[in-house]
Amino acid sequence: YEFKDALAFQLELEDFDYNGTNYFGPIQDHELLILPTVRYLFIAKGIRPYLSAGAGLDVEVSQGTTDAEVVNLDAAVGAGIEITLDGWNALYVEGKYNFIFADGVTGQDIPIMAGARFGFK
C-alpha cells in the first residue's frame, strides 16, 4: 500500500530451502520470512530509488539428525530501484541486510532480489 507517492507499506514473504550436510550429517532446512516493511521512495514516478526497513518473524523447520521447529525475530534494512509499469505495478531490483535473532546468535545475510511488485490503493 502506497501513501502519497513517497511512503509505502508492504508485506514481504520469502521462502528458502536448503538440502545438504552440516557437521552432524544430512539436513533439510525450510525457512519462511514474514516481514512487514516500510519503503521510502525518493521519486514519485518512473525509475524510483528507495530505502526500506522491516521487522517480523523467521519460521524455520529443520529435519536431519535432530528435528526442530523454531520461530525467531527477523529485521532488515535495504535499498533498491523500482521501475513503474502502469498504475501500481512495478519491476524492482533490491539488496538488503537481513538479521535473524536466534537463541543468542545473530544470523546475517545479504539477499539481492529482482522481481515484480503488484500494488493497490
Side-chain angles (χ1 to χ4, degrees), residues 2 5-6 8 39 41-50 80-93 115-119:
E2 192 168 312
D5 296 327
R39 283 186 304 131
L41 299 122
F42 292 100
I43 298 172
K45 300 281 184 225
I47 298 174
R48 309 181 331 158
Y50 63 87
I81 295 175
E82 180 176 278
I83 301 168
T84 306
L85 297 176
D86 60 349
W88 304 105
N89 302 316
L91 300 175
Y92 71 93
V93 175
R117 192 177 332 273
F118 304 101

Side-chain angles (χ1 to χ4, degrees), residues 3-120:
F3 303 94
K4 298 190 181 191
D5 296 327
L7 192 61
F9 172 79
Q10 64 190 34
L11 178 62
E12 293 185 15
L13 300 173
E14 299 175 22
D15 190 38
F16 303 97
D17 283 304
Y18 173 76
N19 290 311
T21 58
N22 65 11
Y23 298 112
F24 303 108
I27 187 171
Q28 292 179 326
D29 190 49
H30 181 82
E31 192 171 352
L32 176 66
L33 297 178
I34 303 166
L35 193 65
T37 303
V38 174
R39 283 186 304 131
Y40 178 78
L41 299 122
F42 292 100
I43 298 172
K45 300 281 184 225
I47 298 174
R48 309 181 331 158
Y50 63 87
L51 296 175
S52 65
L57 298 175
D58 169 62
V59 180
E60 185 174 0
V61 177
S62 296
Q63 296 175 335
T65 54
T66 59
D67 295 344
E69 294 180 19
V70 181
V71 177
N72 299 304
L73 294 177
D74 182 49
V77 294
I81 295 175
E82 180 176 278
I83 301 168
T84 306
L85 297 176
D86 60 349
W88 304 105
N89 302 316
L91 300 175
Y92 71 93
V93 175
E94 174 181 277
K96 64 182 170 183
Y97 192 45
N98 193 53
F99 305 89
I100 298 171
F101 303 99
D103 197 25
V105 176
T106 302
Q108 303 172 39
D109 62 0
I110 303 173
I112 308 293
M113 297 175 287
R117 192 177 332 273
F118 304 101
F120 59 92

